[in-house]
Amino acid sequence: MPSKSILAEKEAIVAKLAEKIKGSTAGVVVTYTGINVDQDTRMRVELRKAGVEYKVYKNSMTERAFDITGYGGMKEHLVGMTALALSGKDPIAPAKILKEFAEKIEKFEIKAGFVEGRLINAKEVNALAEIPSKEALIVKMMGSLQSSLYGLCYVLQAKIDKETGGGAEPAPKEA
């Protein structure tokens, strides 16, 4: 039986992990096999840039943390070597980055995840990864608004040209 100090240390790790999970908008559990050091380093750099914390925890500790946070349904996915990616702000970032690496690495696979309090399976995590980023959606919306405004300007200019009897006179050339 482990000593009291070791148990206290493990309980502290579980409590800290549970707090991280509670403070996250999204998380993804992956099978952490088949990835080499170079791939792992690149993946961790991309996750860090996106504000995603990625770490390998003991499955038993992760199970306890999921129990504490109300994500007990995630325990069935904690088999073998697993890693956990948590995002505090962007709910799409962990799914998007991990899916990109899962497509390149044969044994590295997405198992399940959660988004804003709801458990999702691997298929739903992959679907979440297909959603464009917030910035891309804003650009798309702005483009739609801008094209509508250009259309309105052209119609108004055509109306002005029709009423004044033609196009605007060219600007005088400077000498």
Side-chain angles (χ1 to χ4, degrees):
M1 177 141 183
S3 69
K4 288 183 181 182
S5 64
I6 292 174
L7 283 176
E9 188 178 310
K10 287 182 179 183
E11 286 174 3
I13 292 170
V14 169
K16 188 174 180 181
L17 177 57
E19 284 303 311
K20 286 180 186 180
I21 293 170
K22 282 180 188 175
S24 299
T25 58
V28 177
V29 174
V30 295
T31 300
Y32 186 73
T33 55
I35 186 168
N36 64 37
V37 174
D38 183 49
Q39 292 166 326
D40 183 60
T41 303
R42 282 189 313 219
M43 181 180 65
R44 287 177 187 263
V45 166
E46 284 196 36
L47 288 166
R48 225 176 284 121
K49 282 181 191 174
V52 178
E53 182 181 327
Y54 178 82
K55 193 167 181 180
V56 178
Y57 292 97
K58 283 186 151 192
N59 287 341
S60 59
M61 290 183 179
T62 309
E63 284 179 11
R64 288 186 181 101
F66 280 144
D67 280 337
I68 292 169
T69 57
Y71 293 127
M74 293 288 285
K75 293 191 310 185
E76 68 185 69
H77 302 288
L78 299 174
V79 178
M81 292 179 60
T82 59
L84 179 62
L86 299 171
S87 177
K89 295 180 183 177
D90 186 356
I92 299 173
K96 190 173 284 290
I97 294 167
L98 293 173
K99 181 179 187 252
E100 179 184 320
F101 280 88
E103 289 173 346
K104 296 176 189 174
I105 304 164
E106 187 178 327
K107 292 182 181 179
F108 187 86
E109 70 174 300
I110 294 173
K111 290 185 166 191
F114 64 89
V115 176
E116 297 178 353
R118 184 176 158 266
L119 299 180
I120 57 176
N121 61 29
K123 187 176 179 181
E124 291 170 312
V125 172
N126 287 321
L128 183 65
E130 296 297 321
I131 296 173
S133 68
K134 181 179 178 181
E135 292 78 17
L137 291 173
I138 290 171
V139 168
K140 200 176 226 183
M141 184 184 81
M142 293 304 291
S144 296
L145 291 173
Q146 195 173 24
S147 68
S148 298
L149 290 174
Y150 281 136
L152 176 64
C153 289
Y154 289 133
V155 168
L156 292 174
Q157 186 63 48
K159 176 76 172 156
I160 291 169
D161 290 346
K162 183 177 179 184
E163 289 178 359
T164 60
E169 292 184 24
K173 292 184 180 180
E174 293 183 29

